[in-house]
Amino acid sequence: MSTDQAKEISASGVTVDVGDATTRYLLYGLLPSWFVPGVADWAMHRRTRIEETAGTRESLIHSLMMAEVGIPIALTLRYEVNPLLLSVQLGGAAVHEATALWDVRTAVDSEREVKPVEQHIHSFLESLPFAALASLMCLHADQVKSLLRGGRGDPEAWRLVPRRRPLSRGYLAGIAAAIGTCVLLPYGEELLRCVRTGRRNRKKEKNARSDAARWSAARSGKGR
């Protein structure tokens, strides 16, 4: 924004606070929208019958990825951004990206068809953590500098500090409800479905081996 444009906005009586605008975008835009591709990805797993292909292994990887993202988000909603929290966020984003590659490799090796639509959904799920982290780092540039200095001179750099302006209980309750409805419920159902199908398939294989052994023993007895 140029100086002249800033003067025009000021003269019109409109006050632009980039920090507040970015915070509202993170809280009421980016974070809630994160649930949409998450549910869509679950729907694609169900459509391609994950329980019959990659099974429990891939579903557990999905749970791991949600933890890698969910823990930094939960901490950010409750605590001040400082070098410790930034380290957790950066580490979570890096590990999440590595796990995402493992997830796709697991699906491909299991012959589960990862359709173009699902790949496009993955692009959102992978880019949103970096978008959120970039916005937070812009909002807290002083803490980024502190992190680069190793937190020297800041006694609170490497401990969790409760938010000085806590988020409302209504907002936190809404996010918790959304997580339960859009994350825990569908992916819990997916994991349960995979576990049940895996047990059923193993039971079928065991029965088949038992039948084959009995048939072989009966045939050997007739040949004597």
Side-chain angles (χ1 to χ4, degrees), residues 54-208:
T56 304
R57 181 181 182 184
E58 188 184 358
S59 187
L60 286 173
I61 293 175
H62 297 158
S63 298
L64 176 61
M65 294 171 68
M66 286 181 282
E68 291 164 352
V69 172
I71 291 174
I73 289 176
L75 292 175
T76 304
L77 291 176
R78 296 299 303 272
Y79 298 98
E80 289 288 335
V81 174
N82 62 6
L84 173 59
L85 193 49
L86 283 172
S87 298
V88 173
Q89 293 163 345
L90 289 166
V95 173
H96 179 268
E97 186 65 19
T99 308
L101 294 174
W102 180 25
D103 174 43
V104 174
R105 173 56 60 189
T106 300
V108 171
D109 288 347
S110 71
E111 299 183 354
R112 183 174 77 80
E113 184 181 5
V114 182
K115 297 178 180 293
V117 173
E118 183 177 344
Q119 295 176 15
H120 194 59
I121 292 170
H122 287 171
S123 69
F124 282 96
L125 291 172
E126 291 179 43
S127 62
L128 286 173
F130 291 102
L133 188 53
S135 297
L136 275 174
M137 293 176 76
C138 289
L139 279 173
H140 302 278
D142 58 330
Q143 297 302 320
V144 175
K145 292 179 182 178
S146 179
L147 174 61
L148 294 175
R149 295 194 301 266
R152 290 195 300 272
D154 184 358
E156 297 184 339
W158 300 106
R159 69 184 186 88
L160 292 175
V161 180
R163 275 180 169 270
R164 295 177 179 86
R165 295 173 57 188
L167 298 174
S168 70
R169 292 182 179 179
Y171 177 82
L172 294 176
I175 292 297
I179 291 174
T181 303
C182 301
V183 179
L184 298 180
L185 186 60
Y187 283 93
E189 182 274 337
E190 174 185 286
L191 181 58
L192 181 61
R193 178 161 32 95
C194 289
V195 169
R196 285 177 173 174
T197 302
R199 288 176 177 172
R200 185 170 62 248
N201 290 341
R202 287 192 295 271
K203 186 176 181 180
K204 288 181 179 179
E205 291 175 3
K206 183 178 179 180
N207 290 340

